[in-house]
Amino acid sequence: MVDLFSQQRHTELCQEINRHNRLYYSQDQPEISDAEYDSLFRELLGIEAEYPELITPESPSQRVGTPASKKFAPVEHIIPMLSLKNAKNAEEFHDFDTSIRKNFLARNADLEYVCEMKLDGVAIELTYEDGKLFRASTRGDGFVGEDITENIKTIDDIPHTLTAPYPELIDVRGEIYINLADFQALNRAQEDAGDKTFANPRNAAAGSLRQIDAKVTAQRPLRIFCYGVGRMQGLETASQFETLQLLARLGLRVNLRETTCSSGAEEVINIFCQFQDRRDTLPFEIDGVVVKVNEITLQEELGMVSRSPRWAIALKFPPRQEQTIVEGISLQVGRTGAITPVAHLKPVTVSGVTVSRASLHNWDEIERLDLRIGDHVVVERAGDVIPDVVKVLTEKRTGNERLIPLPTECPECSTPVHKNPDEVVPRCSNPHCPAQTIERMKHFVSRDAMDIEGLGEKQLVQLINCSKITDVADLYLLSKEDMCAMERMGDALAEKLILAIAASKNQPLSKLLFGLGVRHVGRNTAKILARRFASLDELAKCTTDQLIAIHEIGDKVARSIVDYFANPGKILLLEKLHQAGVQPQEEAVVQQGGPLTGKTFVITGSLSKWSRKEAEELVEKAGGRAAGSVSKKTDYVLAGENAGSKLAKAEKLGVEVVDEETFAQLIEFKPNGLG
Ligand code: IVH
């Protein structure tokens, strides 16, 4: 029986992982390190192992990556593009090896592994029909990817025609990547052109592949290594190694020289160590070793579990670390006034990327590290974006290091700062602080909020500096002439921006709510609120008690919402937005004061009229809450056919059990009505 805590944590993890998937796969802007992501994923798998009933097709454990974007036509992967399970250390690899030997080697065959470098790039599929490149696609969610054929055709490494004899049909799988030296040159060129630089070679490769204009892709130094096949008709191979040889013979680029076969687990660990030692000498970034069972028949016998094959595993390298010196500290002011210390580092190259800044998060962290200006430190970049200061080398201190004091005033507007005893960051309390204003506006226009494309920090700063905007509502009053006054802004671009701003007026309510930046109201809370309230006005009238009555809303969030709508400045802003024509789309599906208000339902067994999901939606629409497990707090259990342990528990706890007919009466269900 799932306990409430595990269930809630599972939902949180699914949402969190899906968000990071979006950031990583679709937006090429990851926020957390691979290691942090892996740890969230492991936690999810742990909960699902204990409570398999929590596994739904939507769980990230059942999907790879993120759904394909609408920018490119969808391409179905007839054989899904799977992901790999990770082994964090030798012990976990031994477990993998033992389970294969124990469970599947009954037929006493020789077990051989192929060890390949794990390239840190972007997975793609190339479909060749009759030897001709027919289509290329990204992995997407593993089942449906994006059609990037035109972009792929610009990559020199990829042949448009295979060398005969070739199979009638073959889906080639491989990794698109950028060499480290090319990456540095690309970033220099981006900088010179005033364009955004990429955080790492993987992001640069992903961003380059997903260009609308193939001419841009053509200018990017993309390379490929092919490592596998999906469908193959007209030819067969008996092993992974033979497959690699076949791919090479067909004219595809394969990292064959770096591929080794071995039979024992110890041997594999040795190869892993050798690859790790060679990592720094390679022209491209690798983040581990992929170990695959060589024999295809055995691969087929082993099969897959959820989204990964049982016949392969990735042995990841630990994050790379380098030493450098903290030369200074700057203070960043966020949209809520939070002041974050950022370390300025003596530039150091960590896995091909020059690192010169690292967030220190807060003063508790500074204290924990015992960090001072002038300190020698160890920085870590786990193959990804934001580096971390992980350790201070106190033995290298000279005595000239300086402490990092808590600021007394805002670095941007000099307003005295305050620090709540229950918070780790000090805050600037001036709502007109220019740093906060710009951050608030950036947040408002961001993709998850009002999603106004083409309006970034540069444009916002210019508009603020020439007094065209003072708050987000002013955006809706901008004219084409106002836009044209900006640098590098032609007529066409200005028109596009005006249209993008106008289009955002009717974004769903949850996006506006999130964009307003109410403290503690993140994406999920905004969605929950938008399902409950038809408009901002309705939400504004709500009391703390009414908000707390919503299951997912706690005390802190409720107070923050009520404070926001009581703030005269915010009331004015909302009025201004309304006047400017901002009319968010209603999302409310929950009947306020509906027949099930305040009631918790658990649905179990198979229903004849509805799917479980539909029944849960009906509960919510009627104002109730659908929960996954039965407890003393459950008001009703709706039991369908073959209801099992949940029904038993309900009976034991004396919870009222209803059938579908009674349920329909309770929710006042009218076919084509409420439902
Ligand atoms: S095999 C079912 N081999 O790692 C096997 N993947 O987390 C799946 N990758 O999506 C892939 N180098 O993007 C394989 N030599 C290699 C690889 C490799 C890099 C990437 C690939 C895949 C991800 C798995």
Side-chain angles (χ1 to χ4, degrees):
M1 187 81 23
V2 188
D3 66 273
L4 205 57
F5 175 77
S6 302
Q7 190 183 357
Q8 272 178 353
R9 184 67 189 142
H10 182 264
T11 311
E12 267 171 30
L13 284 167
C14 287
Q15 286 168 347
E16 194 61 13
I17 293 172
N18 281 330
R19 188 169 84 80
H20 289 303
N21 279 344
R22 264 200 318 280
L23 286 166
Y24 184 88
Y25 291 107
S26 307
Q27 300 173 21
D28 310 318
Q29 278 178 337
E31 276 176 6
I32 56 171
S33 69
D34 285 6
E36 283 167 308
Y37 179 88
D38 287 348
S39 124
L40 291 176
F41 213 96
R42 271 161 192 275
E43 193 183 342
L44 179 81
L45 293 181
I47 297 181
E48 290 186 350
E50 199 172 341
Y51 305 111
E53 61 265 48
L54 290 179
I55 306 175
T56 64
E58 283 73 40
S59 164
S61 67
Q62 307 300 304
R63 311 194 73 78
V64 178
T66 191
S69 79
K70 294 193 193 87
K71 263 200 318 201
F72 299 93
V75 175
E76 190 185 347
H77 301 300
I78 309 292
I79 298 185
M81 289 180 78
L82 302 174
S83 186
L84 288 169
K85 273 217 202 71
N86 289 332
K88 253 198 326 220
N89 47 40
E91 202 186 324
E92 289 190 1
F93 178 72
H94 278 291
D95 291 346
F96 166 83
D97 177 67
T98 314
S99 90
I100 289 187
R101 286 176 199 276
K102 201 163 57 197
N103 296 321
F104 299 96
L105 240 58
R107 62 194 171 92
N108 219 4
D110 282 339
L111 176 60
E112 196 173 47
Y113 291 118
V114 170
C115 300
E116 298 171 16
M117 289 186 171
K118 186 168 187 305
L119 297 144
D120 196 8
V122 184
I124 60 145
E125 179 172 84
L126 306 168
T127 300
Y128 287 88
E129 286 186 7
D130 292 324
K132 301 258 174 322
L133 178 59
F134 165 69
R135 197 158 51 197
S137 49
T138 61
R139 181 168 68 169
D141 65 2
F143 301 99
V144 179
E146 298 151 318
D147 189 333
I148 49 160
T149 316
E150 291 315 307
N151 294 355
I152 282 293
K153 281 187 175 164
T154 68
I155 302 176
D156 292 341
D157 269 357
I158 299 179
H160 293 198
T161 314
L162 297 178
T163 310
Y166 41 72
E168 292 149 31
L169 171 79
I170 183 170
D171 290 331
V172 177
R173 308 260 166 99
E175 195 86 349
I176 297 284
Y177 70 94
I178 295 185
N179 274 336
L180 290 166
D182 290 338
F183 164 73
Q184 276 149 3
L186 172 64
N187 258 359
R188 276 196 301 274
Q190 291 284 110
E191 220 170 83
D192 291 347
D195 290 331
K196 216 175 81 187
T197 55
F198 298 100
N200 56 48
R202 199 210 76 87
N203 284 1
S208 304
L209 268 188
R210 298 174 73 258
Q211 289 292 326
I212 293 289
D213 183 357
K215 285 196 219 93
V216 180
T217 313
Q219 280 152 22
R220 301 283 167 80
L222 297 171
R223 310 228 54 190
I224 190 168
F225 271 131
C226 300
Y227 51 66
V229 294
R231 291 173 303 170
M232 176 152 69
Q233 287 165 15
L235 266 182
E236 255 181 38
T237 51
S239 68
Q240 166 67 10
F241 199 71
E242 262 183 55
T243 305
L244 294 176
Q245 286 173 318
L246 170 70
L247 294 176
R249 196 203 33 78
L250 292 173
L252 293 152
R253 196 156 175 265
V254 180
N255 199 7
L256 248 189
R257 263 185 307 151
E258 310 294 355
T259 301
T260 331
C261 285
S262 57
S263 356
E266 277 314 316
E267 230 182 296
V268 170
I269 303 293
N270 267 336
I271 291 165
F272 170 78
C273 295
Q274 283 165 26
F275 279 176
Q276 192 173 344
D277 288 344
R278 289 184 46 208
R279 191 181 178 192
D280 286 331
T281 64
L282 296 170
F284 45 80
E285 178 74 343
I286 59 171
D287 57 355
V289 177
V290 183
V291 186
K292 302 175 180 172
V293 167
N294 196 18
E295 196 191 302
I296 305 279
T297 330
L298 186 50
Q299 284 187 6
E300 283 163 2
E301 264 175 52
L302 288 161
M304 55 176 272
V305 55
S306 65
R307 52 173 220 157
S308 5
R310 280 212 195 82
W311 47 265
I313 197 156
L315 302 184
K316 295 282 274 282
F317 297 139
R320 297 233 237 197
Q321 297 191 333
E322 298 294 341
Q323 290 187 16
T324 185
I325 299 170
V326 176
E327 292 181 327
I329 295 286
S330 65
L331 303 174
Q332 252 173 20
V333 186
R335 69 182 157 87
T336 60
I339 299 176
T340 314
V342 176
H344 292 219
L345 307 168
K346 181 163 180 232
V348 58
T349 308
V350 192
S351 48
V353 174
T354 311
V355 167
S356 54
R357 294 270 194 282
S359 169
L360 296 171
H361 310 290
N362 54 58
W363 272 264
D364 282 9
E365 176 69 359
I366 292 177
E367 203 171 306
R368 187 187 69 77
L369 288 164
D370 182 21
L371 181 74
R372 298 170 196 188
I373 298 171
D375 265 337
H376 286 254
V377 290
V378 175
V379 287
E380 187 172 285
R381 223 189 115 247
D384 37 51
V385 245
I386 306 146
D388 250 334
V389 173
V390 289
K391 195 174 159 204
V392 174
L393 302 168
T394 39
E395 65 279 12
K396 290 201 172 176
R397 279 196 176 146
T398 59
N400 294 328
E401 293 75 18
R402 284 174 292 130
L403 290 168
I404 305 164
L406 254 174
T408 51
E409 56 181 47
C410 171
E412 297 287 337
C413 68
S414 307
T415 305
V417 302
H418 67 274
K419 183 173 171 300
N420 282 343
D422 56 343
E423 290 193 325
V424 284
V425 285
R427 288 179 191 275
C428 162
S429 54
N430 171 11
H432 306 293
C433 167
Q436 283 185 54
T437 307
I438 183 75
E439 290 303 321
R440 270 200 303 269
M441 290 196 181
K442 270 166 61 185
H443 176 74
F444 185 81
V445 302
S446 67
R447 195 191 284 235
D448 286 326
M450 299 300 263
D451 194 13
I452 306 179
E453 221 181 306
L455 207 54
E457 179 164 359
K458 267 192 208 155
Q459 291 79 13
L460 291 170
V461 168
Q462 289 183 61
L463 290 167
I464 294 174
N465 286 348
C466 58
S467 310
K468 299 279 187 229
I469 53 173
T470 53
D471 59 35
V472 292
D474 287 337
L475 289 172
Y476 296 95
L477 309 177
L478 288 170
S479 66
K480 197 171 136 193
E481 288 66 44
D482 293 333
M483 294 290 186
C484 285
M486 283 195 273
E487 274 171 36
R488 295 195 194 191
M489 182 67 64
D491 261 18
L493 209 56
E495 249 161 50
K496 221 171 127 188
L497 257 182
I498 295 274
L499 283 178
I501 295 174
S504 76
K505 288 181 183 172
N506 302 111
Q507 287 286 18
L509 178 62
S510 57
K511 288 197 142 211
L512 173 61
L513 250 174
F514 176 60
L516 290 175
V518 182
R519 269 184 75 191
H520 308 303
V521 176
R523 261 168 298 251
N524 288 332
T525 310
K527 277 193 194 138
I528 291 162
L529 292 169
R531 281 167 62 83
R532 297 268 164 172
F533 300 94
S535 64
L536 279 182
D537 281 350
E538 228 180 68
L539 175 62
K541 285 189 212 127
C542 224
T543 63
T544 335
D545 286 345
Q546 285 167 319
L547 283 166
I548 293 170
I550 300 173
H551 179 73
E552 297 89 344
I553 307 287
D555 211 27
K556 197 164 75 175
V557 182
R559 262 185 290 127
S560 169
I561 296 170
V562 170
D563 285 353
Y564 184 93
F565 289 105
N567 179 329
K570 303 297 180 197
I571 296 172
L572 269 178
L573 176 72
L574 295 177
E575 182 51 35
K576 214 170 142 184
L577 281 168
H578 181 71
Q579 293 292 333
V582 175
Q583 226 169 13
Q585 261 175 55
E586 202 179 297
E587 293 167 88
V589 289
V590 176
Q591 249 195 30
Q592 282 302 299
L596 292 188
T597 304
K599 302 287 182 209
T600 301
F601 248 92
V602 172
I603 298 160
T604 180
S606 44
L607 307 175
S608 61
K609 283 202 185 73
W610 306 282
S611 71
R612 181 177 305 195
K613 189 139 200 290
E614 283 165 350
E616 285 176 358
E617 277 171 16
L618 287 170
V619 169
E620 288 185 357
K621 281 183 187 174
R625 193 176 84 80
S629 58
V630 181
S631 72
K632 274 188 279 183
K633 290 189 185 157
T634 312
D635 295 291
Y636 298 101
V637 166
L638 165 59
E641 285 283 301
N642 302 323
S645 58
K646 288 183 191 174
L647 175 60
K649 180 148 185 203
E651 282 163 352
K652 194 169 141 208
L653 294 175
V655 174
E656 187 172 344
V657 179
V658 297
D659 59 12
E660 286 183 62
E661 213 167 298
T662 319
F663 174 69
Q665 285 164 10
L666 280 172
I667 60 169
E668 297 166 9
F669 180 78
K670 301 175 205 80
N672 308 321
L674 231 188

